Coordinates of all heavy atoms in Angstrom, one line a residue:
M1 N 29.3 17.5 16.3 CA 28.2 17.9 15.5 C 26.9 18.0 16.3 O 26.6 17.3 17.2 CB 27.9 16.7 14.5 CG 27.0 17.1 13.4 SD 26.8 15.7 12.2 CE 28.1 15.9 11.1
T2 N 26.2 19.1 16.1 CA 24.9 19.4 16.9 C 23.8 18.6 16.4 O 23.9 18.0 15.3 CB 24.5 20.9 16.8 OG1 24.2 21.1 15.4 CG2 25.7 21.9 17.1
T3 N 22.8 18.6 17.2 CA 21.6 17.8 16.8 C 21.0 18.3 15.5 O 20.6 17.6 14.7 CB 20.5 17.8 18.0 OG1 21.2 17.4 19.2 CG2 19.3 17.0 17.7
T4 N 21.0 19.7 15.4 CA 20.4 20.3 14.2 C 21.3 20.0 13.0 O 20.7 19.5 11.9 CB 20.5 21.8 14.4 OG1 19.8 22.2 15.6 CG2 19.8 22.5 13.2
Q5 N 22.6 19.8 13.1 CA 23.4 19.4 12.1 C 23.2 17.9 11.6 O 23.0 17.6 10.5 CB 25.0 19.7 12.3 CG 25.2 21.0 12.2 CD 26.7 21.3 12.8 OE1 27.1 20.7 13.8 NE2 27.5 22.1 12.0
Q6 N 23.0 17.1 12.7 CA 22.7 15.7 12.5 C 21.4 15.5 11.6 O 21.4 14.8 10.7 CB 22.6 15.0 13.8 CG 24.0 14.5 14.3 CD 23.9 13.9 15.8 OE1 22.9 14.2 16.3 NE2 25.0 13.2 16.1
N7 N 20.5 16.3 12.1 CA 19.1 16.2 11.5 C 19.2 16.7 10.0 O 18.6 16.1 9.1 CB 18.1 17.1 12.1 CG 17.6 16.4 13.4 OD1 17.8 15.2 13.5 ND2 17.0 17.2 14.3
T8 N 20.1 17.7 9.8 CA 20.2 18.2 8.5 C 20.8 17.1 7.5 O 20.4 16.8 6.4 CB 21.2 19.4 8.4 OG1 20.6 20.4 9.2 CG2 21.3 20.0 7.0
V9 N 21.8 16.4 8.1 CA 22.5 15.3 7.3 C 21.5 14.3 6.9 O 21.3 13.8 5.9 CB 23.7 14.7 8.1 CG1 24.2 13.4 7.3 CG2 24.9 15.7 8.1
T10 N 20.7 13.9 8.0 CA 19.7 12.8 7.9 C 18.6 13.1 6.8 O 18.3 12.4 6.0 CB 18.9 12.5 9.2 OG1 20.0 12.2 10.2 CG2 18.0 11.4 9.1
D11 N 18.2 14.5 6.9 CA 17.3 15.0 5.9 C 17.8 14.9 4.5 O 17.2 14.5 3.5 CB 16.8 16.4 6.2 CG 15.9 16.4 7.5 OD1 15.5 15.5 7.9 OD2 15.7 17.6 7.9
T12 N 19.1 15.3 4.3 CA 19.7 15.2 3.0 C 19.8 13.7 2.5 O 19.4 13.4 1.3 CB 21.1 15.8 3.1 OG1 21.0 17.2 3.6 CG2 21.7 15.8 1.7
D13 N 20.1 12.8 3.4 CA 20.2 11.4 3.1 C 18.8 10.9 2.6 O 18.7 10.2 1.6 CB 20.7 10.6 4.2 CG 22.2 10.7 4.5 OD1 22.9 11.2 3.6 OD2 22.6 10.2 5.5
T14 N 17.8 11.3 3.3 CA 16.4 10.8 3.0 C 16.0 11.4 1.7 O 15.6 10.7 0.8 CB 15.5 11.4 4.0 OG1 15.9 10.8 5.3 CG2 14.0 10.9 3.8
E15 N 16.4 12.6 1.4 CA 16.0 13.2 0.1 C 16.6 12.5 -1.1 O 16.2 12.3 -2.1 CB 16.3 14.7 0.0 CG 15.3 15.6 0.7 CD 15.8 17.0 0.9 OE1 16.5 17.6 0.1 OE2 15.3 17.6 1.8
T16 N 17.9 12.2 -0.8 CA 18.7 11.3 -1.8 C 18.1 10.0 -2.1 O 17.9 9.6 -3.3 CB 20.2 11.3 -1.3 OG1 20.8 12.6 -1.1 CG2 20.9 10.5 -2.5
V17 N 17.8 9.3 -1.0 CA 17.2 8.0 -1.1 C 15.8 8.1 -1.9 O 15.6 7.4 -2.9 CB 16.9 7.4 0.2 CG1 16.1 6.2 0.1 CG2 18.2 7.0 0.9
I18 N 15.1 9.1 -1.6 CA 13.7 9.2 -2.2 C 13.9 9.6 -3.7 O 13.4 9.2 -4.6 CB 12.9 10.3 -1.5 CG1 12.4 9.6 -0.1 CG2 11.6 10.7 -2.3 CD1 11.6 10.6 0.7
G19 N 14.9 10.6 -3.9 CA 15.1 11.1 -5.2 C 15.5 10.0 -6.1 O 15.2 9.9 -7.3
D20 N 16.5 9.2 -5.7 CA 17.0 8.1 -6.4 C 16.0 7.1 -6.7 O 15.9 6.5 -7.8 CB 18.3 7.4 -5.7 CG 19.5 8.3 -5.6 OD1 19.5 9.3 -6.4 OD2 20.4 7.9 -4.9
A21 N 15.3 6.7 -5.6 CA 14.2 5.7 -5.9 C 13.1 6.2 -6.9 O 12.6 5.3 -7.6 CB 13.6 5.2 -4.5
R22 N 12.8 7.5 -6.8 CA 11.8 8.1 -7.7 C 12.3 7.9 -9.1 O 11.5 7.7 -10.0 CB 11.4 9.4 -7.4 CG 10.4 9.4 -6.2 CD 10.0 10.8 -5.8 NE 9.1 10.8 -4.7 CZ 8.7 11.9 -4.0 NH1 9.3 13.1 -4.3 NH2 7.7 11.8 -3.1
E23 N 13.5 8.2 -9.3 CA 14.1 7.9 -10.7 C 14.0 6.6 -11.3 O 13.7 6.3 -12.4 CB 15.7 8.5 -10.7 CG 15.9 9.8 -10.9 CD 17.5 10.2 -11.0 OE1 18.2 9.3 -11.5 OE2 17.8 11.2 -10.5
R24 N 14.3 5.6 -10.3 CA 14.1 4.2 -10.7 C 12.6 4.0 -11.0 O 12.3 3.2 -12.1 CB 14.5 3.3 -9.7 CG 16.1 3.4 -9.4 CD 16.6 2.6 -8.2 NE 16.2 1.3 -8.2 CZ 16.1 0.4 -7.1 NH1 16.5 0.9 -5.9 NH2 15.8 -0.8 -7.3
I25 N 11.7 4.5 -10.2 CA 10.2 4.3 -10.4 C 9.9 4.9 -11.8 O 9.1 4.2 -12.6 CB 9.4 4.9 -9.3 CG1 9.5 4.0 -8.1 CG2 8.0 5.0 -9.7 CD1 8.9 4.7 -6.8
D26 N 10.3 6.1 -12.0 CA 10.0 6.7 -13.4 C 10.6 5.9 -14.5 O 9.8 5.7 -15.5 CB 10.6 8.2 -13.5 CG 9.9 9.1 -12.5 OD1 8.8 8.8 -12.0 OD2 10.4 10.2 -12.4
A27 N 11.7 5.3 -14.4 CA 12.3 4.4 -15.4 C 11.5 3.2 -15.6 O 11.3 2.7 -16.7 CB 13.8 4.2 -15.1
L28 N 11.1 2.6 -14.5 CA 10.3 1.4 -14.5 C 8.9 1.7 -15.2 O 8.5 0.8 -16.0 CB 10.1 0.8 -13.1 CG 11.2 0.1 -12.4 CD1 11.1 0.0 -10.9 CD2 11.5 -1.3 -13.0
D29 N 8.3 2.9 -14.8 CA 7.1 3.2 -15.4 C 7.2 3.3 -16.9 O 6.4 3.0 -17.7 CB 6.4 4.5 -14.8 CG 5.9 4.3 -13.3 OD1 5.6 3.0 -13.0 OD2 5.7 5.2 -12.6
D30 N 8.2 3.9 -17.4 CA 8.5 4.1 -18.8 C 8.6 2.7 -19.5 O 8.1 2.5 -20.6 CB 9.9 4.8 -19.1 CG 9.6 6.3 -18.9 OD1 8.5 6.9 -18.9 OD2 10.8 7.0 -18.8
R31 N 9.3 1.8 -18.8 CA 9.3 0.4 -19.3 C 7.9 -0.2 -19.4 O 7.6 -1.0 -20.3 CB 10.4 -0.4 -18.6 CG 11.8 0.0 -18.8 CD 12.8 -0.6 -17.9 NE 12.8 -2.1 -17.8 CZ 13.4 -2.8 -16.9 NH1 14.1 -2.1 -15.9 NH2 13.4 -4.0 -17.0
I32 N 7.3 -0.1 -18.2 CA 5.9 -0.7 -18.2 C 5.0 -0.1 -19.3 O 4.3 -0.9 -19.9 CB 5.2 -0.5 -16.7 CG1 6.0 -1.3 -15.8 CG2 3.8 -0.8 -16.8 CD1 5.8 -0.9 -14.3
I33 N 5.0 1.1 -19.4 CA 4.2 1.8 -20.5 C 4.7 1.2 -21.9 O 3.8 0.8 -22.8 CB 4.4 3.3 -20.5 CG1 3.6 3.9 -19.2 CG2 3.8 4.0 -21.7 CD1 4.0 5.3 -19.0
G34 N 6.0 1.0 -22.1 CA 6.4 0.5 -23.4 C 5.9 -0.9 -23.5 O 5.6 -1.4 -24.6
L35 N 5.9 -1.7 -22.5 CA 5.4 -3.0 -22.5 C 4.0 -3.1 -22.9 O 3.5 -4.0 -23.6 CB 5.8 -3.8 -21.3 CG 7.2 -4.3 -21.0 CD1 7.5 -4.7 -19.6 CD2 7.8 -5.2 -22.0
V36 N 3.2 -2.2 -22.2 CA 1.7 -2.2 -22.5 C 1.5 -1.8 -23.9 O 0.6 -2.5 -24.5 CB 1.1 -1.2 -21.4 CG1 -0.3 -0.9 -21.9 CG2 1.2 -1.6 -20.0
Q37 N 2.3 -0.9 -24.5 CA 2.1 -0.5 -25.8 C 2.4 -1.7 -26.7 O 1.7 -1.9 -27.7 CB 3.0 0.7 -26.2 CG 2.5 2.0 -25.5 CD 3.4 3.2 -25.7 OE1 4.6 3.0 -25.7 NE2 2.9 4.4 -25.6
E38 N 3.4 -2.5 -26.4 CA 3.8 -3.6 -27.1 C 2.7 -4.7 -27.0 O 2.4 -5.4 -28.0 CB 5.2 -4.2 -26.6 CG 5.8 -5.3 -27.4 CD 7.1 -5.8 -27.0 OE1 7.8 -5.0 -26.1 OE2 7.6 -6.9 -27.3
R39 N 2.2 -4.9 -25.9 CA 1.1 -5.8 -25.7 C -0.1 -5.5 -26.6 O -0.8 -6.4 -27.1 CB 0.6 -5.8 -24.2 CG -0.3 -7.0 -23.8 CD -1.0 -6.8 -22.6 NE -1.7 -8.0 -22.2 CZ -2.8 -8.5 -22.7 NH1 -3.4 -7.8 -23.8 NH2 -3.3 -9.7 -22.4
I40 N -0.5 -4.2 -26.5 CA -1.6 -3.7 -27.4 C -1.3 -4.0 -28.8 O -2.3 -4.6 -29.5 CB -1.8 -2.1 -27.2 CG1 -2.2 -1.8 -25.9 CG2 -2.7 -1.5 -28.3 CD1 -2.2 -0.4 -25.5
A41 N -0.1 -3.9 -29.3 CA 0.2 -4.2 -30.7 C 0.1 -5.8 -31.0 O -0.4 -6.1 -32.0 CB 1.5 -3.7 -31.0
V42 N 0.7 -6.5 -30.1 CA 0.6 -8.0 -30.3 C -0.9 -8.5 -30.2 O -1.3 -9.4 -31.0 CB 1.5 -8.8 -29.2 CG1 1.3 -10.3 -29.4 CG2 3.0 -8.3 -29.5
S43 N -1.6 -8.0 -29.2 CA -3.0 -8.3 -29.1 C -3.8 -8.0 -30.6 O -4.6 -8.8 -30.9 CB -3.7 -7.5 -27.9 OG -5.0 -7.9 -27.9
A44 N -3.4 -6.8 -31.0 CA -4.1 -6.5 -32.3 C -3.8 -7.5 -33.4 O -4.7 -7.8 -34.2 CB -3.7 -5.1 -32.8
V45 N -2.6 -8.0 -33.4 CA -2.3 -9.0 -34.4 C -3.2 -10.3 -34.2 O -3.8 -10.9 -35.3 CB -0.8 -9.5 -34.3 CG1 -0.5 -10.8 -35.2 CG2 0.2 -8.4 -34.6
V46 N -3.4 -10.7 -33.0 CA -4.3 -11.9 -32.7 C -5.8 -11.5 -33.1 O -6.4 -12.3 -33.8 CB -4.2 -12.3 -31.2 CG1 -5.1 -13.5 -31.0 CG2 -2.8 -12.6 -30.8
Q47 N -6.2 -10.4 -32.8 CA -7.6 -9.9 -32.9 C -7.8 -9.9 -34.5 O -8.8 -10.4 -35.0 CB -7.9 -8.7 -32.3 CG -8.0 -8.8 -30.7 CD -8.0 -7.3 -30.1 OE1 -9.1 -6.7 -30.5 NE2 -7.0 -7.0 -29.4
D48 N -6.9 -9.3 -35.1 CA -7.1 -9.0 -36.6 C -7.1 -10.4 -37.3 O -7.9 -10.5 -38.3 CB -6.0 -8.1 -37.2 CG -6.0 -6.7 -36.7 OD1 -7.1 -6.4 -36.1 OD2 -5.0 -5.9 -36.9
A49 N -6.2 -11.3 -37.0 CA -6.2 -12.6 -37.6 C -7.5 -13.4 -37.3 O -8.0 -14.0 -38.3 CB -5.1 -13.5 -37.0
R50 N -8.0 -13.3 -36.1 CA -9.4 -14.0 -35.8 C -10.5 -13.3 -36.6 O -11.2 -14.1 -37.3 CB -9.5 -13.9 -34.4 CG -10.7 -14.8 -33.9 CD -10.7 -15.1 -32.5 NE -10.7 -13.8 -31.5 CZ -9.7 -13.6 -30.8 NH1 -8.8 -14.4 -30.6 NH2 -9.7 -12.5 -30.1
I51 N -10.5 -12.0 -36.7 CA -11.6 -11.3 -37.3 C -11.4 -11.7 -38.9 O -12.6 -11.9 -39.5 CB -11.6 -9.8 -37.0 CG1 -11.9 -9.4 -35.7 CG2 -12.5 -9.0 -38.1 CD1 -11.6 -8.1 -35.2
A52 N -10.3 -11.5 -39.4 CA -10.1 -11.9 -40.9 C -10.5 -13.3 -41.2 O -10.9 -13.6 -42.3 CB -8.6 -11.7 -41.3
S53 N -10.6 -14.2 -40.3 CA -10.9 -15.6 -40.5 C -12.4 -15.8 -40.2 O -12.8 -17.0 -40.0 CB -10.0 -16.7 -39.9 OG -10.2 -16.6 -38.4
G54 N -13.1 -14.8 -39.9 CA -14.5 -14.9 -39.6 C -14.9 -14.9 -38.1 O -16.1 -15.1 -37.8
G55 N -13.9 -14.7 -37.3 CA -14.2 -14.9 -35.8 C -14.6 -13.4 -35.2 O -14.7 -12.6 -35.9
R56 N -14.6 -13.5 -33.8 CA -15.0 -12.2 -33.2 C -13.7 -11.6 -32.6 O -12.8 -12.3 -32.3 CB -15.9 -12.6 -32.1 CG -17.3 -13.1 -32.7 CD -18.3 -13.5 -31.6 NE -19.4 -14.0 -32.1 CZ -20.6 -13.8 -31.6 NH1 -20.8 -13.1 -30.5 NH2 -21.7 -14.3 -32.2
R57 N -13.8 -10.3 -32.3 CA -12.7 -9.7 -31.6 C -12.4 -10.2 -30.2 O -11.3 -10.4 -29.9 CB -13.1 -8.1 -31.5 CG -12.1 -7.3 -30.8 CD -12.1 -5.8 -30.8 NE -12.3 -5.4 -32.3 CZ -11.2 -5.2 -33.0 NH1 -10.0 -5.4 -32.6 NH2 -11.4 -4.8 -34.3
V58 N -13.6 -10.5 -29.5 CA -13.4 -10.9 -28.2 C -13.4 -12.5 -28.0 O -14.2 -13.1 -28.7 CB -14.5 -10.3 -27.2 CG1 -14.5 -11.0 -25.9 CG2 -14.4 -8.8 -27.3
H59 N -12.5 -13.0 -27.2 CA -12.5 -14.4 -26.9 C -12.5 -14.6 -25.4 O -11.5 -14.5 -24.6 CB -11.1 -14.9 -27.5 CG -11.0 -16.4 -27.5 ND1 -11.0 -17.2 -26.4 CD2 -10.8 -17.3 -28.5 CE1 -10.8 -18.5 -26.6 NE2 -10.7 -18.5 -27.9
L60 N -13.6 -14.8 -24.8 CA -13.9 -14.7 -23.3 C -13.1 -15.7 -22.6 O -12.5 -15.4 -21.5 CB -15.4 -14.9 -23.1 CG -16.2 -13.6 -23.2 CD1 -17.6 -13.8 -22.9 CD2 -15.5 -12.5 -22.4
S61 N -13.0 -17.0 -23.1 CA -12.2 -18.0 -22.2 C -10.8 -17.6 -22.2 O -10.2 -17.9 -21.1 CB -12.5 -19.4 -22.8 OG -11.9 -19.5 -24.1
R62 N -10.3 -17.1 -23.3 CA -8.8 -16.6 -23.1 C -8.7 -15.4 -22.2 O -7.7 -15.4 -21.3 CB -8.3 -16.1 -24.6 CG -7.0 -15.5 -24.6 CD -5.8 -16.5 -24.2 NE -4.6 -15.8 -24.3 CZ -3.5 -16.0 -23.7 NH1 -3.6 -17.0 -22.8 NH2 -2.4 -15.4 -23.8
E63 N -9.7 -14.5 -22.1 CA -9.7 -13.4 -21.3 C -9.7 -14.0 -19.7 O -9.0 -13.4 -18.9 CB -10.8 -12.4 -21.5 CG -10.7 -11.7 -22.8 CD -11.5 -10.3 -22.9 OE1 -12.1 -10.1 -22.0 OE2 -11.4 -9.9 -24.0
M64 N -10.6 -15.0 -19.5 CA -10.5 -15.5 -18.2 C -9.2 -16.2 -17.7 O -8.8 -16.0 -16.5 CB -11.7 -16.7 -18.2 CG -13.0 -16.2 -18.2 SD -13.5 -14.9 -17.0 CE -13.8 -13.6 -18.1
E65 N -8.5 -16.7 -18.7 CA -7.1 -17.3 -18.4 C -6.2 -16.1 -18.1 O -5.4 -16.3 -17.1 CB -6.5 -18.0 -19.6 CG -7.2 -19.4 -19.9 CD -6.6 -19.9 -21.2 OE1 -5.7 -19.3 -21.9 OE2 -7.1 -21.0 -21.6
I66 N -6.3 -15.0 -18.8 CA -5.4 -13.9 -18.5 C -5.7 -13.2 -17.1 O -4.9 -12.9 -16.3 CB -5.5 -12.8 -19.7 CG1 -4.9 -13.4 -20.8 CG2 -4.9 -11.5 -19.2 CD1 -5.3 -12.7 -22.1
I67 N -7.0 -13.1 -16.7 CA -7.4 -12.6 -15.5 C -7.0 -13.5 -14.4 O -6.5 -12.9 -13.3 CB -8.9 -12.3 -15.6 CG1 -9.4 -11.2 -16.5 CG2 -9.5 -12.0 -14.1 CD1 -10.8 -11.0 -16.7
A68 N -7.1 -14.7 -14.6 CA -6.6 -15.7 -13.6 C -5.1 -15.5 -13.4 O -4.6 -15.6 -12.1 CB -7.0 -17.1 -13.9
H69 N -4.4 -15.4 -14.5 CA -3.0 -15.4 -14.4 C -2.5 -14.1 -13.5 O -1.6 -14.1 -12.6 CB -2.4 -15.2 -15.8 CG -0.9 -15.2 -15.9 ND1 -0.2 -14.8 -17.0 CD2 0.1 -15.6 -15.0 CE1 1.1 -14.9 -16.9 NE2 1.3 -15.3 -15.6
Y70 N -3.1 -13.0 -13.7 CA -2.8 -11.8 -12.9 C -3.4 -11.9 -11.6 O -2.6 -11.3 -10.6 CB -3.4 -10.6 -13.7 CG -2.6 -9.9 -14.8 CD1 -2.5 -10.6 -16.1 CD2 -1.7 -8.9 -14.6 CE1 -1.8 -10.1 -17.1 CE2 -0.9 -8.4 -15.6 CZ -0.9 -8.9 -16.9 OH -0.1 -8.5 -17.8
S71 N -4.5 -12.4 -11.4 CA -5.0 -12.4 -9.9 C -4.3 -13.4 -9.1 O -4.0 -13.2 -7.9 CB -6.6 -12.6 -9.9 OG -6.9 -13.9 -10.4
D72 N -3.8 -14.5 -9.8 CA -2.9 -15.5 -9.0 C -1.7 -14.9 -8.6 O -1.1 -15.0 -7.5 CB -2.6 -16.6 -9.9 CG -3.8 -17.6 -10.1 OD1 -4.8 -17.6 -9.3 OD2 -3.7 -18.4 -10.9
A73 N -1.1 -14.0 -9.5 CA 0.2 -13.3 -9.2 C 0.1 -12.1 -8.2 O 0.9 -11.9 -7.3 CB 1.0 -12.9 -10.4
L74 N -1.1 -11.4 -8.4 CA -1.1 -10.1 -7.7 C -2.4 -9.9 -6.8 O -2.5 -8.7 -6.3 CB -1.1 -8.9 -8.8 CG 0.1 -8.9 -9.8 CD1 -0.2 -8.0 -10.9 CD2 1.4 -8.6 -8.9
G75 N -3.2 -10.9 -6.7 CA -4.4 -10.8 -5.8 C -5.4 -10.0 -6.5 O -5.4 -9.7 -7.8
K76 N -6.4 -9.5 -5.7 CA -7.5 -8.8 -6.3 C -7.2 -7.7 -7.2 O -7.8 -7.5 -8.3 CB -8.5 -8.4 -5.2 CG -9.9 -8.1 -5.6 CD -10.8 -7.8 -4.4 CE -12.1 -7.3 -5.0 NZ -12.9 -6.7 -3.9
P77 N -6.2 -6.9 -6.8 CA -5.8 -5.7 -7.8 C -5.4 -6.2 -9.1 O -5.5 -5.5 -10.0 CB -4.8 -4.9 -7.0 CG -5.0 -5.2 -5.6 CD -5.4 -6.7 -5.6
G78 N -4.8 -7.5 -9.1 CA -4.4 -8.1 -10.3 C -5.6 -8.2 -11.3 O -5.3 -8.1 -12.5
T79 N -6.8 -8.6 -10.8 CA -7.9 -8.8 -11.7 C -8.2 -7.4 -12.4 O -8.4 -7.4 -13.6 CB -9.1 -9.1 -10.8 OG1 -8.8 -10.5 -10.2 CG2 -10.4 -9.3 -11.7
A80 N -8.2 -6.3 -11.6 CA -8.5 -4.9 -12.1 C -7.4 -4.6 -13.2 O -7.7 -4.0 -14.2 CB -8.6 -3.9 -11.1
L81 N -6.2 -5.0 -12.8 CA -5.1 -4.6 -13.8 C -5.2 -5.4 -15.1 O -5.0 -4.8 -16.2 CB -3.8 -5.0 -13.2 CG -2.5 -4.8 -14.0 CD1 -2.4 -3.3 -14.5 CD2 -1.2 -5.1 -13.2
A82 N -5.6 -6.7 -14.9 CA -5.8 -7.5 -16.2 C -7.0 -6.9 -17.1 O -6.9 -6.9 -18.3 CB -6.0 -9.0 -15.9
M83 N -8.0 -6.5 -16.4 CA -9.2 -5.9 -17.1 C -8.9 -4.7 -17.7 O -9.4 -4.4 -18.8 CB -10.4 -5.8 -16.2 CG -10.9 -7.2 -15.7 SD -12.2 -7.1 -14.4 CE -13.5 -6.6 -15.5
T84 N -8.0 -3.8 -17.1 CA -7.6 -2.6 -17.8 C -6.7 -2.9 -19.0 O -6.9 -2.3 -20.1 CB -6.8 -1.8 -16.7 OG1 -7.7 -1.4 -15.6 CG2 -6.2 -0.5 -17.4
L85 N -5.8 -3.8 -18.8 CA -5.0 -4.3 -20.0 C -5.8 -4.8 -21.2 O -5.6 -4.4 -22.3 CB -3.9 -5.2 -19.5 CG -2.8 -4.8 -18.6 CD1 -2.0 -6.0 -18.1 CD2 -1.9 -3.8 -19.4
L86 N -6.7 -5.5 -20.8 CA -7.7 -6.1 -21.8 C -8.5 -5.0 -22.5 O -8.6 -5.0 -23.8 CB -8.6 -7.1 -21.2 CG -8.0 -8.5 -20.9 CD1 -8.8 -9.4 -20.0 CD2 -7.5 -9.3 -22.2
E87 N -8.9 -4.0 -21.8 CA -9.7 -2.9 -22.3 C -8.7 -2.0 -23.3 O -9.2 -1.7 -24.3 CB -10.4 -2.0 -21.2 CG -11.1 -0.8 -21.9 CD -11.9 -0.1 -20.9 OE1 -12.2 -0.6 -19.8 OE2 -12.1 1.3 -21.2
L88 N -7.5 -1.9 -22.9 CA -6.6 -1.1 -23.7 C -6.3 -1.9 -24.9 O -6.1 -1.3 -26.0 CB -5.2 -1.0 -22.8 CG -5.3 0.1 -21.8 CD1 -4.0 0.1 -20.9 CD2 -5.2 1.5 -22.5
S89 N -6.3 -3.2 -24.9 CA -5.9 -4.1 -26.0 C -7.1 -4.3 -26.9 O -6.8 -4.4 -28.2 CB -5.4 -5.4 -25.5 OG -4.2 -5.3 -24.7
R90 N -8.2 -4.4 -26.5 CA -9.4 -4.7 -27.5 C -10.6 -3.6 -27.4 O -11.6 -3.9 -28.0 CB -9.9 -6.1 -27.3 CG -10.2 -6.5 -25.8 CD -11.7 -6.4 -25.5 NE -12.0 -7.0 -24.2 CZ -12.3 -6.3 -23.0 NH1 -12.2 -5.0 -23.0 NH2 -12.5 -7.0 -21.9
G91 N -10.4 -2.7 -26.6 CA -11.5 -1.7 -26.5 C -12.5 -2.2 -25.5 O -12.3 -3.2 -24.8
R92 N -13.5 -1.4 -25.2 CA -14.6 -1.7 -24.3 C -15.5 -2.7 -24.9 O -15.8 -2.6 -26.1 CB -15.3 -0.5 -23.7 CG -14.5 0.5 -23.2 CD -15.2 1.6 -22.4 NE -15.5 1.3 -21.1 CZ -15.9 2.2 -20.2 NH1 -16.2 3.4 -20.6 NH2 -16.2 1.8 -18.9
V93 N -16.0 -3.6 -24.1 CA -17.0 -4.6 -24.6 C -18.4 -4.3 -24.0 O -18.5 -3.7 -23.0 CB -16.6 -6.1 -24.4 CG1 -15.5 -6.4 -25.3 CG2 -16.3 -6.2 -22.9
Ligands
PRE1 O1 -5.6 -14.0 -27.0 C1 -6.4 -13.6 -27.8 O2 -7.2 -14.5 -28.4 C2 -6.6 -12.1 -28.1 O3 -7.4 -11.8 -28.9 C3 -5.8 -11.2 -27.3 C4 -6.6 -10.7 -26.2 C5 -5.7 -9.9 -25.2 O4 -5.4 -8.7 -25.4 O5 -5.1 -10.7 -24.3 C6 -7.7 -9.7 -26.7 C7 -8.9 -10.0 -26.9 C8 -9.5 -11.3 -26.5 O6 -10.8 -11.1 -26.0 C9 -8.6 -12.1 -25.6 C10 -7.3 -11.8 -25.3

């Protein structure tokens, strides 16, 4: 096998690895989006119940717990992710 042929095989393998991994990423992203949509719906149940009983939409101490949970698990970007999830779930404050 010549060097050029070896490189061709290697390039094909690389494309297969990348293509397969990207399919898995796309499938994971679909599941993550589904989970985010589910989170938004469950959060609405909590907010609606609180508002119906005379409370407010926003519960800051609970938000601090959620942000801490994400930042403990994922570091500083976890904070941004938690804040994005909260904004998606209760709108902008
Ligand atoms: O856990 C609550 O009390 C909620 O209302 C849910 C939720 C959330 O999406 O996590 C939404 C708004 C509140 O400010 C805090 C948290």
Side-chain angles (χ1 to χ4, degrees):
M1 192 178 274
T2 66
T3 306
T4 307
Q5 283 171 320
Q6 280 176 337
N7 282 342
T8 303
V9 169
T10 302
D11 289 349
T12 305
D13 286 349
T14 302
E15 281 172 24
T16 300
V17 167
I18 290 173
D20 288 354
R22 282 182 175 166
E23 271 185 32
R24 291 170 61 198
I25 287 171
D26 289 345
L28 286 165
D29 284 342
D30 282 342
R31 287 167 59 191
I32 291 166
I33 290 166
L35 287 170
V36 170
Q37 290 169 332
E38 190 177 339
R39 190 196 193 286
I40 291 167
V42 176
S43 177
V45 171
V46 180
Q47 293 170 60
D48 291 349
R50 190 165 49 244
I51 290 165
S53 69
R56 296 177 178 215
R57 176 171 304 282
V58 174
H59 190 298
L60 277 181
S61 62
R62 174 63 178 151
E63 295 202 4
M64 292 304 113
E65 288 175 2
I66 292 163
I67 290 168
H69 187 193
Y70 275 84
S71 65
D72 287 351
L74 302 171
K76 197 173 174 192
T79 301
L81 178 57
M83 289 173 74
T84 297
L85 288 170
L86 287 165
E87 182 175 334
L88 283 165
S89 298
R90 50 94 169 110
R92 297 190 95 163
V93 289

